Amino acid sequence: MKRNYWPLFFIGIFGFTFYMIVWTIMSASKVPVIEDKSFMKKYQDVDDNYNTMMDSNKLFSSKYDLELTLNGKVFPLTTEDIKYSQRVIEKISQHKDILKVGQNDMKIIISDKITKDKKDAIIELVITKVMSNDSDVILKNENFQNNNGVNNSTFELKEANNWIITGSFTVDGIVGYIYIKTNAI
């Protein structure tokens, strides 16, 4: 009598496939999940409301001047870096080497375009590493000293890495968003 080994072959393939599915699930569950918090929102909220956010940025920029000074370098309200990868930033950006390992100084001034009066704002910023959130620096109003509309703060970074500065400024119900990719040296 001749034996038929085809059923054993199919059982072997099924067993191997089942093992690979279990192995994939186990391996994936051990990898940490880092959620993108651009503009201090979930990425789903940013995706759903991106156009509204950029319209709000245009309105904010038409009414107010923002000067964010970081270690002596002045930034306007910008979100241009959001469309560049980190490698492009490393090659062509003028935002390279802005942060430093150790103490960093930040100054924020928001003024009315017409009257030039300095405005108080609700400030929500996060300085985060590109691939993890274990060293996030969150800066809100309570982290700033407000001297006649000039908001000053210091924060510390513990490692040289690629960093993202993102968040929002709210003045009279109008929100301006910022997104800057840089690195610390």
Side-chain angles (χ1 to χ4, degrees):
M1 181 170 191
K2 210 172 183 187
R3 288 206 56 91
N4 188 355
Y5 293 103
W6 281 105
L8 292 175
F9 177 70
F10 286 114
I11 291 171
I13 289 175
F14 177 76
F16 177 74
T17 304
F18 183 74
Y19 170 76
M20 292 306 293
I21 291 169
V22 170
W23 176 80
T24 301
I25 292 169
M26 296 294 288
S27 297
S29 67
K30 293 177 185 173
V31 176
V33 176
I34 293 104
E35 188 172 7
D36 182 17
K37 289 285 197 171
S38 298
F39 307 115
M40 307 275 294
K41 298 176 181 240
K42 289 186 170 195
Y43 78 92
Q44 294 95 336
D45 294 335
V46 173
D47 191 38
D48 289 343
N49 301 307
Y50 185 77
N51 290 335
T52 306
M53 293 168 63
M54 293 305 107
D55 289 342
S56 180
N57 250 19
K58 288 177 187 172
L59 180 60
F60 188 94
S61 293
S62 71
K63 291 185 165 256
Y64 307 107
D65 286 323
L66 170 82
E67 286 183 27
L68 185 142
T69 306
L70 191 56
N71 294 329
K73 172 113 171 141
V74 178
F75 294 94
L77 188 64
T78 181
T79 58
E80 290 297 312
D81 286 351
I82 201 167
K83 60 187 173 186
Y84 298 125
S85 70
Q86 196 64 39
R87 281 185 283 186
V88 171
I89 297 292
E90 290 170 0
K91 290 180 182 176
I92 67 166
S93 178
Q94 297 178 11
H95 300 164
K96 287 189 287 192
D97 304 333
I98 299 213
L99 297 172
K100 54 188 174 184
V101 177
Q103 289 293 331
N104 292 274
D105 299 314
M106 181 182 287
K107 178 172 71 169
I108 299 170
I109 301 172
I110 300 172
S111 56
D112 189 282
K113 277 197 182 280
I114 297 169
T115 65
K116 303 298 181 196
D117 291 337
K118 292 181 179 145
K119 295 292 204 174
D120 289 329
I122 299 170
I123 300 170
E124 294 180 310
L125 293 173
V126 64
I127 296 108
T128 184
K129 285 194 278 187
V130 174
M131 293 303 293
S132 74
N133 58 3
D134 60 348
S135 300
D136 283 3
V137 176
I138 297 172
L139 299 173
K140 295 190 177 195
N141 286 63
E142 57 265 13
N143 303 105
F144 288 89
Q145 294 175 346
N146 187 335
N147 298 324
N148 297 325
V150 178
N151 298 289
N152 292 303
S153 182
T154 59
F155 59 92
E156 183 176 357
L157 298 178
K158 297 190 187 291
E159 64 181 289
N161 206 327
N162 292 325
W163 295 85
I164 297 172
I165 302 163
T166 185
S168 65
F169 309 96
T170 306
V171 178
D172 298 329
I174 302 170
V175 183
Y177 298 93
I178 195 162
Y179 191 97
I180 299 169
K181 289 184 180 179
T182 186
N183 62 308
I185 55 171

